[in-house]
Amino acid sequence: MIIQCLAFEPYRFTLTSPLQTARGEIACREGFVISIGDRQGLVGYGEATPLDGLAMEPLGMTRECLANAQRSLVNMQISSLADIENLLSEYEPYPAARHGLELALVDLYAKQQGLTLPPLIIKHFGGVIHLPKVNAVIGAIAPQLAVIKAQGQIQTGYRCLKIKVGSDDFATDWQRVAAVRSQVGNDIQIRIDANQAWTEAAAIANLNKLAPLDIEYVEQPVPFDDLAAMARLRRSQPIAIAADESVNHLAQLQQIINRQAADIVILKPMVLGGILTTHRAAIIALDAGLDVVITTTLDGAIACQGAMDLASTLPITRACGLSTLHLAR
Ligand SMILES: O=C(O)CCC(=O)c1ccccc1C(=O)O
């Protein structure tokens, strides 16, 4: 196929209620919807929505990348997924822009073959399509509010809750998790996310106190670059360790594997620069014996669907963080 045109539109949405995390609150999301057309009139859609605080380029840089792509990608020929990856190599330092361009190109390439993304991915990489389980998210809110929120989520059918911790004093974190556990009973999975908030010593103390509440895993208990502490934490307290902010690109994933710094890796397509890169990361992690969880970065509809399509092609058993679109107003 030959790329005929590339357009991008800025868009912005607020969240129905801001998500409170240890790194502040996320209240709105801003990015670009990208459409790429071919000479037959087919159009593929992508989304580039960088998030402050994660390892992504700022929004202005995303815009520059897309404007550059408008000049450089038109009239280019694509005959394979490898061609798409080669065309986008210069965008590797700009993961949100790369994500949006890749998704639009892969979507267009799939449409040319009369396919949607999951069968296209399976045709190229193998696997079977399944519907991933998902978790609900509870921010670092007051324990009584967390209980009410959890009650609603369980009534809606969620069987796995992810609770944010690390933003208050630990007593409030513990109360939040304990109150939700006693509300939902023992059949519901609870995972927690500290978003890098703790020192190693605090993590050991806090996780030992939380362990009796039956915690599936803790995401990113310590700063992203302290893989040595992550590796030690796996042995110095009972809760499984998930790396999230520590996985910004494939080289970091390899470090985590080499240093045995996590039991689980959280892979975010917007952070890793696209669903193809994330597919590669997932296969590397699974082959190394790590569990994989795919999550959005609270994106819009196009990126959320892309992440879901990707997850549906991978042998993932744990609940994924893919149920976030309803947070958009
Ligand atoms: O994991 C989920 O369920 C949703 C994703 C999520 O919580 C998130 C969303 C945006 C930025 C960071 C995070 C995070 O996992 O820390």
Side-chain angles (χ1 to χ4, degrees):
M1 73 188 190
I2 294 181
I3 299 172
Q4 167 92 351
C5 53
L6 188 159
F8 58 97
E9 281 283 326
Y11 86 106
R12 181 182 195 276
F13 61 85
T14 50
L15 302 191
T16 46
S17 56
L19 179 61
Q20 315 288 342
T21 83
R23 318 281 291 179
E25 73 170 32
I26 305 172
C28 79
R29 301 286 286 113
E30 217 171 335
F32 299 92
V33 170
I34 298 148
S35 47
I36 300 183
D38 70 3
R39 291 190 173 163
Q40 279 76 51
L42 294 171
V43 181
Y45 294 98
E47 178 189 324
T49 314
L51 180 60
D52 279 351
L54 293 183
M56 283 179 260
E57 77 278 9
L59 189 67
M61 188 66 82
T62 310
R63 186 187 296 104
E64 274 184 46
C65 289
L66 298 177
N68 179 65
Q70 220 164 17
R71 291 186 293 269
S72 68
L73 293 187
V74 171
N75 292 327
M76 296 305 258
Q77 162 108 32
I78 288 170
S79 332
S80 66
L81 291 181
D83 282 352
I84 294 176
E85 300 216 70
N86 290 336
L87 266 186
L88 297 179
S89 60
E90 67 175 297
Y91 297 103
E92 254 159 53
Y94 316 104
R98 196 198 173 288
H99 174 279
L101 292 168
E102 190 204 75
L103 191 53
L105 288 171
V106 174
D107 185 33
L108 178 59
Y109 183 66
K111 282 172 175 159
Q112 283 213 326
Q113 298 174 53
L115 297 173
T116 55
L117 292 191
L120 178 81
I121 293 170
I122 278 171
K123 192 173 150 195
H124 282 78
F125 303 112
V128 290
I129 296 172
H130 71 114
L131 197 57
K133 291 182 288 178
V134 293
N135 66 251
V137 190
I138 298 176
I141 51 177
Q144 314 87 286
L145 291 179
V147 166
I148 294 167
K149 195 149 197 177
Q151 223 169 0
Q153 290 165 337
I154 297 305
Q155 272 164 15
T156 328
Y158 289 98
R159 285 290 174 265
C160 178
L161 308 180
K162 160 163 152 175
I163 306 177
K164 296 279 188 186
V165 295
S167 64
D168 317 291
D169 59 315
F170 178 70
T172 313
D173 279 341
W174 187 87
Q175 280 167 20
R176 182 182 314 111
V177 182
V180 170
R181 171 55 82 204
S182 81
Q183 168 65 34
V184 302
N186 293 328
D187 293 340
I188 300 297
Q189 260 176 339
I190 294 180
R191 49 181 65 168
I192 58 176
D193 185 357
N195 287 114
Q196 317 184 64
W198 293 328
T199 62
E200 182 179 358
I204 295 174
N206 297 348
L207 294 171
N208 272 307
K209 288 182 198 146
L210 287 161
L213 299 173
D214 189 13
I215 307 300
E216 179 194 5
Y217 61 69
V218 57
E219 278 180 45
Q220 206 64 50
V222 293
F224 77 98
D225 53 356
D226 201 349
L227 297 187
M230 300 266 283
R232 285 191 297 268
L233 276 174
R234 290 183 63 215
R235 297 185 293 270
S236 54
Q237 57 74 46
I239 299 177
I241 301 293
D244 181 3
E245 287 90 334
S246 293
V247 202
N248 292 330
H249 48 72
L250 292 180
Q252 276 169 322
L253 171 62
Q254 202 55 58
Q255 283 290 312
I256 289 167
I257 293 168
N258 295 347
R259 301 174 70 166
Q260 304 188 350
D263 303 282
I264 298 127
V265 285
I266 314 293
L267 303 179
K268 295 176 153 70
M270 194 65 75
V271 172
L272 289 168
I275 60 170
L276 297 179
T277 325
T278 308
H279 187 279
R280 183 170 307 136
I283 297 299
I284 292 171
L286 290 164
D287 283 350
L290 296 176
D291 279 2
V292 168
V293 168
I294 307 285
T295 85
T296 75
T297 44
L298 311 185
D299 310 313
I302 294 171
C304 283
Q305 186 63 44
M308 177 59 90
D309 283 346
L310 167 69
S312 75
T313 69
L314 289 164
I316 295 175
T317 50
R318 293 191 190 257
C320 287
L322 294 168
S323 182
T324 60
L325 191 53
H326 62 279
L327 301 172
R329 200 188 289 281

